[in-house]
Amino acid sequence: MTSRRTRERLVTRLREQGIKSLPVLDVILGTPRHLFIDEALAHRAYEDTALPIGFNQTISQPYIVARMTELLLSEGVVKSVLEVGTGSGYQTAVLAQLIDKVYSVERIKPLQLKAKERFRVMGLRNIYLQHSDGGMGWPSMAPFDAIIVTAAPESIPEELLEQLAIGGRLVIPVGQNQQELKLVVKKSDKEFETRIIERVKFVPLLSGTVR
């Protein structure tokens, strides 16, 4: 179930759903998603579906990972990205193969430790991790060329907008029962351009940390 043919079928499905970026599709093809989920679910690793990873969290559907990554990279070079919600580390690993520096924050320590080990196994050395409340971002490392959020707040956190570089892009799901994936481009310190991409379903962005 982890063969190249299985992965190629997944990539074909992503193309059919409108993912056009060849670099993103190549990275999805080459990334061993089965490493990022429990062994009991490994046979479902290359289905285009979200799967549970414990602590009421999920590994995102491959289409959503591809779509959000494509949106981040659609306007020129991104050298640094902040990811809010490391989770399993799958989205992080995809970003790390396309962007120079990935800064990822996670509020649940056991998930972060598992993800760190997966990055070591894959030989990814350009990922910087912090155990903290995600809504606050990582101010000391700002500004970021891009920010990606993998859990849904009720509204876009002001702290994240402040940490975005001018011209930078924020991709974030927003809402409770009815969630929308939004792309926010920072035009100036006070001007933001927001576009609604599509309806999505994410776990809620929670405050506080778990050790």
Side-chain angles (χ1 to χ4, degrees):
M1 292 306 293
T2 62
S3 69
R4 184 173 176 88
R5 190 179 303 166
T6 309
R7 297 186 200 187
E8 284 171 349
R9 276 202 299 270
L10 171 60
V11 167
T12 299
R13 280 200 297 276
L14 299 183
R15 283 181 192 275
E16 288 167 355
Q17 290 179 85
I19 303 299
K20 295 181 173 64
S21 168
L22 290 179
V24 171
L25 289 168
D26 283 348
V27 167
I28 296 277
L29 178 65
T31 301
R33 191 171 184 249
H34 61 278
L35 291 185
F36 294 86
I37 56 179
D38 291 338
E39 215 172 309
L41 290 170
H43 64 288
R44 300 188 61 194
Y46 299 97
E47 293 176 13
D48 188 24
T49 186
L51 295 167
I53 57 169
F55 298 92
N56 293 317
Q57 303 296 302
T58 58
I59 180 173
S60 290
Q61 176 190 1
Y63 165 75
I64 286 293
V65 170
R67 187 77 172 108
M68 292 175 80
T69 306
E70 186 175 62
L71 285 166
L72 278 191
L73 300 174
S74 59
E75 292 292 330
V77 177
V78 174
K79 290 194 174 297
S80 68
V81 61
L82 169 67
E83 178 190 39
V84 175
T86 313
S88 69
Y90 177 64
Q91 172 77 77
T92 326
V94 168
L95 292 169
Q97 294 170 78
L98 293 160
I99 295 171
D100 288 353
K101 291 183 177 179
V102 179
Y103 297 89
S104 187
V105 297
E106 173 56 57
R107 57 182 289 274
I108 301 169
K109 189 71 173 179
L111 288 182
Q112 185 192 54
L113 292 174
K114 275 189 183 177
K116 186 177 183 180
E117 176 58 20
R118 290 165 182 147
F119 304 147
R120 190 193 64 74
V121 168
M122 285 184 68
L124 298 171
R125 295 185 177 85
N126 58 332
I127 298 169
Y128 306 89
L129 301 175
Q130 186 179 67
H131 178 233
S132 67
D133 184 323
M136 302 303 176
W138 197 334
S140 63
M141 294 300 176
F144 301 99
D145 296 332
I147 298 176
I148 185 170
V149 183
T150 61
E154 289 181 43
S155 59
I156 298 173
E158 202 63 44
E159 292 88 347
L160 299 184
L161 294 174
E162 288 170 7
Q163 291 170 43
L164 202 56
I166 304 295
R169 301 161 76 77
L170 165 66
V171 178
I172 183 170
V174 182
Q176 285 186 301
N177 301 327
Q178 301 273 331
Q179 294 176 1
E180 293 173 328
L181 186 65
K182 295 187 176 184
L183 170 64
V184 182
V185 181
K186 188 170 185 174
K187 298 294 189 179
S188 71
D189 279 333
K190 302 222 182 296
E191 188 188 358
F192 298 88
E193 182 181 286
T194 303
R195 187 153 62 94
I196 296 169
I197 305 300
E198 60 187 85
R199 286 275 178 87
V200 288
K201 187 164 178 56
F202 279 79
V203 296
L205 182 69
L206 301 175
S207 59
T209 58
V210 178
R211 290 213 72 83

